[in-house]
Amino acid sequence: MPSAPVVALEKEDHQRDAEFKKVMHGESAKAAGGVAALLKKNTEAQQIAVDEYFKHFDNKTAEGETQADREARTKEYATLTRHYYNLATDIYEYGWGQCFHFCRFSPGEPFYQAIARHEHYLASQIGIKKGMKVLDVGCGVGGPAREIAKFTDAHITGLNNNDYQIDRATHYAVRDGLSGQLKFVKGDFMQMSFPDNSFDAVYAIEATVHAPKLEGVYGEIYRVLKPGGVFGVYEWLMTDNYDNDNVEHRDIRLAIEVGNGISNMVPISEGLAAMKNVGFELLHHEDLADRNDPMPWYWPIAGELGYMQSYLDFFTVVRMTHTARRILHGFAGVLETIGLAPKGTKKTADALARGADGLVAGAKKNLFTPMYLMVGKKPLN
């Protein structure tokens, strides 16, 4: 196997992370989710998470961005991502659901059906079947793992570096009667604890973008995948139209990074090279955002209600409109002021909104895709 590039990895400290989770989140992992969980946070711990996350982005602009700024973020990639999800998970669940990814849409297809179809498509491209031992790299609160487990009857292990999300994923698995088919493990996907050749298949849905270097995480995936096994990923990548010397393009990229907990976005060419360099035999690659679909993947975060396919989707999508965002973020500020919401709630929500606007602008200018599909096979020898 070709060797992956040397990347400085953060030292893991599972005890520290577990203790911080206990202080910040308490028993909120067992709350209904969204706002109900958000209001149960420890204010002092949340402020630490806010400071640790935003120190990488506050007062940083596209005009003044330096290579040193990006290197500082990648150096603390794990801490940056972990604290991002300490802050953003409940807002994600409230505004989007339990599957933290985008998807394609078809006429007459409700929002959550389209989300599930996107997951089914990846599972089918990989060839996941009953009885397989499968790894979900960056599993969030386990929404895709639960869906793919039900769809394929495979056993899925979810890997996650955020203790709070692991608690929520485990809670939902028990709730849905899937605890025998699902397992959630704490770990940094750049330095997995699994033995070589552990899994029949591996997938990642919009998660490996948090890696400081794609070759690093893809190399670990290659290592834990059995010979002959298949890895499939929906990757967030900048397209070949992205020009880092263009300030407008950099501003869009930076908005995507700050609003989504990303240390270092890279172009499609780097993603493809990473797959090949670690040893994968590339079976298929395609930007699914380039499909000639009747509605764009980004319409929900753009709040473009005209694309809505079901009246039931209104209550999900209306929260994404700019008017609703202003109202909800203003209300979050009021709740902070009177002490009902932890400090940093509004700042986090504002960053997520900036990220959403960056995603939409990047898509409309064909600078960004959240669904670059790559499917690779580990050779038998």
Side-chain angles (χ1 to χ4, degrees):
M1 162 185 162
S3 59
V6 176
V7 176
L9 303 178
E10 278 197 71
K11 184 179 179 180
E12 294 188 278
D13 190 335
H14 290 193
Q15 182 178 349
R16 174 204 61 197
D17 296 344
E19 289 172 354
F20 185 85
K21 182 266 300 182
K22 185 176 181 180
V23 173
M24 178 172 172
H25 299 287
E27 295 297 315
S28 62
K30 298 175 183 176
V35 175
L38 184 66
L39 298 180
K40 295 179 181 291
K41 307 304 176 190
N42 177 278
T43 297
E44 289 77 16
Q46 170 128 344
Q47 188 62 58
I48 291 171
V50 168
D51 293 343
E52 281 295 307
Y53 180 70
F54 284 102
K55 73 180 182 181
H56 292 290
F57 297 103
D58 281 347
N59 304 314
K60 304 287 173 65
T61 64
E63 292 84 355
E65 184 185 53
T66 66
Q67 185 61 29
D69 292 333
R70 300 189 78 179
E71 288 174 357
R73 295 200 296 268
T74 57
K75 185 178 179 181
E76 296 188 9
Y77 68 95
T79 298
L80 182 148
T81 302
R82 187 172 59 254
H83 280 310
Y84 173 77
Y85 284 112
N86 278 331
L87 297 169
T89 295
D90 298 317
I91 298 174
Y92 271 32
E93 287 201 51
Y94 167 73
W96 194 260
Q98 293 163 17
C99 299
F100 300 167
H101 63 80
F102 296 108
C103 66
R104 297 166 57 214
F105 296 95
S106 292
E109 184 177 46
F111 177 79
Y112 289 118
Q113 184 177 326
I115 289 283
R117 178 169 62 86
H118 200 59
E119 295 160 2
H120 297 171
Y121 185 78
L122 182 61
S124 68
Q125 288 287 304
I126 297 169
I128 298 174
K129 294 180 173 60
K130 182 177 181 178
M132 279 187 169
K133 188 178 178 183
V134 180
L135 178 64
D136 178 339
V137 179
C139 63
V141 297
R146 293 194 300 278
E147 184 63 35
I148 291 174
K150 289 183 283 188
F151 180 65
T152 64
D153 288 328
H155 182 280
I156 298 177
T157 297
L159 180 66
N160 196 316
N161 199 32
N162 183 278
D163 299 70
Y164 177 59
Q165 289 195 342
I166 291 171
D167 281 359
R168 289 201 69 76
T170 302
H171 171 73
Y172 290 134
V174 172
R175 181 200 65 184
D176 291 358
L178 291 168
S179 53
Q181 226 180 315
L182 297 169
K183 176 184 178 183
F184 298 100
V185 176
K186 163 81 172 179
D188 176 357
F189 55 34
M190 296 290 291
Q191 43 190 327
M192 299 183 196
S193 60
F194 308 115
D196 294 357
N197 309 324
S198 292
F199 297 96
D200 300 300
V202 182
Y203 68 85
I205 300 179
E206 303 184 23
T208 45
V209 66
H210 294 295
K213 188 81 173 177
L214 287 180
E215 278 192 41
V217 64
Y218 291 172
E220 279 292 270
I221 289 167
Y222 187 97
R223 179 183 66 79
V224 303
L225 184 62
K226 293 178 182 178
V230 176
F231 165 52
V233 58
Y234 289 137
E235 194 61 83
W236 280 32
L237 294 167
M238 306 307 291
T239 71
D240 293 336
N241 292 327
Y242 175 77
D243 176 6
N244 200 56
D245 292 329
N246 183 311
V247 174
E248 181 187 15
H249 289 193
R250 285 206 310 274
D251 188 59
I252 289 170
R253 173 184 52 75
L254 188 59
I256 293 171
E257 289 172 341
V258 66
N260 294 280
I262 299 166
S263 63
N264 184 41
M265 287 285 298
V266 299
I268 289 171
S269 57
E270 188 166 326
L272 290 170
M275 287 285 283
K276 295 173 183 176
N277 289 347
V278 302
F280 280 111
E281 187 181 303
L282 206 55
L283 304 177
H284 181 70
H285 66 93
E286 176 188 4
D287 185 0
L288 296 181
D290 271 350
R291 293 281 186 96
N292 190 27
D293 293 323
M295 55 202 77
W297 63 264
Y298 57 79
W299 76 261
I301 56 169
E304 297 179 1
L305 299 179
Y307 288 116
M308 192 171 61
Q309 299 298 297
S310 166
Y311 289 115
L312 294 176
D313 292 343
F314 175 81
F315 300 101
T316 297
V317 179
V318 71
R319 291 173 249 186
M320 306 291 177
T321 63
H322 286 279
T323 299
R325 281 189 215 162
R326 282 195 296 270
I327 294 170
L328 292 170
H329 295 191
F331 184 58
V334 172
L335 292 178
E336 277 189 48
T337 301
I338 63 177
L340 289 180
K343 296 293 184 183
T345 300
K346 183 178 184 298
K347 185 173 186 176
T348 302
D350 288 344
L352 265 63
R354 180 185 171 193
D357 290 341
L359 292 170
V360 173
K364 289 184 174 181
K365 292 180 178 294
N366 193 26
L367 302 176
F368 164 80
T369 176
M371 53 185 73
Y372 198 88
L373 171 64
M374 294 184 284
V375 182
K377 183 176 181 179
K378 181 176 181 176
L380 287 169
N381 51 21

